[in-house]
Amino acid sequence: MVEFQLKERGIIDKRVLDAFRKVPRHLFVPENMQASAYDDFAMPIGSGQTISQPYMVAIMTEKLALKGEEKVLEVGTGSGYQAAILCELAGSVISIERIKTLSDQAEKLLKDMDYKNIKFVVGDGTEGHKPEAPYDGIIVTAACPTPPPPLIDQLAEGGRLVLPVGDRYLQNLTIIRKIRGKIEAETSIGCMFVPLIGRCG
Ligand code: SAH
């Protein structure tokens, strides 16, 4: 997975590649699909949701440009795989999911894996999570028509917000930076995520 799907497609951040080598992806997919856990596609995880394709998790993570001390907010816990990768790369992680069963499963799994720098929240992540704001990095793993304003508000100075922006079936990975209070946006590759469902989704 790391050699052929990530390095060959241009993922170069050594810390990101190491995190992918370390986190056992097969633990995050349904038992009957574990044999394909490291293949090049997204997979169903129940409740109509998916674990993203490894390359998509990698490029989004790389775009956050984490050095190790950051506080990161993830919207869309899903299986918890992206959350575990973030735990390897950031100081602390808050992960919000709207479906409680998914959040509970992910929380149990990450606890068993001994990750201590993460907090799970059940709720509407389009509102962000004010009590712990601002965040050095925010990653949204569901598709939205426009970046939710509360997430831009909760971004720290110098912080990065990475999210898929577009319509129901096709989006562009978008990177928003807050530099001296101003917002700069950059568009990256096309992608296809499940919808972000909420007040600003
Ligand atoms: N990051 C996940 C992929 C999750 S798929 C992983 O690594 O497996 C997207 C997830 O976003 C789904 O679980 C969906 O329920 C959740 N979601 C959609 N809208 C949301 C919202 N407003 N707040 C929080 N989670 C949301």
Side-chain angles (χ1 to χ4, degrees), residues 60 63-64 138-140 160-164 173-176:
M60 291 179 84
K63 296 287 184 193
L64 285 173
I138 303 180
I139 178 168
V140 182
R160 291 166 191 249
L161 164 61
V162 177
L163 76 177
L173 198 59
T174 304
I175 300 99
I176 292 175

Side-chain angles (χ1 to χ4, degrees), residues 54-104:
Y55 173 66
M56 193 51 67
V57 180
I59 188 168
M60 291 179 84
T61 307
E62 191 172 64
K63 296 287 184 193
L64 285 173
L66 300 170
K67 300 280 181 277
E69 298 299 316
E70 296 85 353
K71 190 198 286 182
V72 176
L73 175 72
E74 179 193 26
V75 177
T77 311
S79 68
Y81 180 67
Q82 170 79 72
I85 296 281
L86 293 172
C87 284
E88 293 287 341
L89 296 167
S92 61
V93 179
I94 314 285
S95 186
I96 310 189
E97 170 58 57
R98 59 183 283 274
I99 301 174
K100 187 173 184 308
T101 49
L102 290 178
S103 178
D104 289 350

Side-chain angles (χ1 to χ4, degrees), residues 45 49-52 57 74-83 96-99 102 123-126 141-142 193-199:
I45 54 169
Q49 306 304 323
T50 52
I51 176 173
S52 307
V57 180
E74 179 193 26
V75 177
T77 311
S79 68
Y81 180 67
Q82 170 79 72
I96 310 189
E97 170 58 57
R98 59 183 283 274
I99 301 174
L102 290 178
D124 178 7
T126 69
T141 60
F193 278 80
V194 296
L196 183 70
I197 297 166
R199 192 177 70 85

Side-chain angles (χ1 to χ4, degrees), residues 5-192:
Q5 299 172 42
L6 308 190
K7 284 172 85 170
E8 283 208 357
R9 287 192 186 123
I11 302 296
I12 53 169
D13 186 330
K14 190 176 174 305
R15 294 182 70 243
V16 172
L17 295 169
D18 284 346
F20 275 80
R21 287 194 184 95
K22 193 166 167 200
V23 178
R25 185 172 159 96
H26 61 276
L27 299 182
F28 294 84
V29 305
E31 239 170 73
N32 62 346
M33 298 190 81
Q34 285 192 345
S36 340
Y38 298 86
D39 291 353
D40 193 14
F41 41 73
M43 279 183 194
I45 54 169
S47 306
Q49 306 304 323
T50 52
I51 176 173
S52 307
Q53 175 199 25
Y55 173 66
M56 193 51 67
V57 180
I59 188 168
M60 291 179 84
T61 307
E62 191 172 64
K63 296 287 184 193
L64 285 173
L66 300 170
K67 300 280 181 277
E69 298 299 316
E70 296 85 353
K71 190 198 286 182
V72 176
L73 175 72
E74 179 193 26
V75 177
T77 311
S79 68
Y81 180 67
Q82 170 79 72
I85 296 281
L86 293 172
C87 284
E88 293 287 341
L89 296 167
S92 61
V93 179
I94 314 285
S95 186
I96 310 189
E97 170 58 57
R98 59 183 283 274
I99 301 174
K100 187 173 184 308
T101 49
L102 290 178
S103 178
D104 289 350
Q105 268 172 32
E107 181 166 13
K108 183 176 180 312
L109 186 54
L110 268 73
K111 202 173 185 181
D112 289 348
M113 294 171 80
D114 216 24
Y115 287 111
K116 295 191 167 69
N117 56 338
I118 182 157
K119 202 159 112 184
F120 293 87
V121 177
V122 176
D124 178 7
T126 69
E127 305 267 20
H129 184 64
K130 253 198 171 153
E132 315 259 352
Y135 301 97
D136 307 302
I138 303 180
I139 178 168
V140 182
T141 60
C144 44
T146 50
L151 298 184
I152 294 175
D153 289 347
Q154 291 174 30
L155 201 56
E157 173 57 37
R160 291 166 191 249
L161 164 61
V162 177
L163 76 177
V165 178
D167 63 26
R168 172 70 182 81
Y169 297 104
L170 207 59
Q171 306 95 38
N172 283 309
L173 198 59
T174 304
I175 300 99
I176 292 175
R177 293 191 68 187
K178 197 181 259 185
I179 301 167
R180 276 172 249 107
K182 283 213 176 116
I183 296 306
E184 284 181 10
E186 172 202 323
T187 303
S188 174
I189 57 170
C191 50
M192 215 171 88

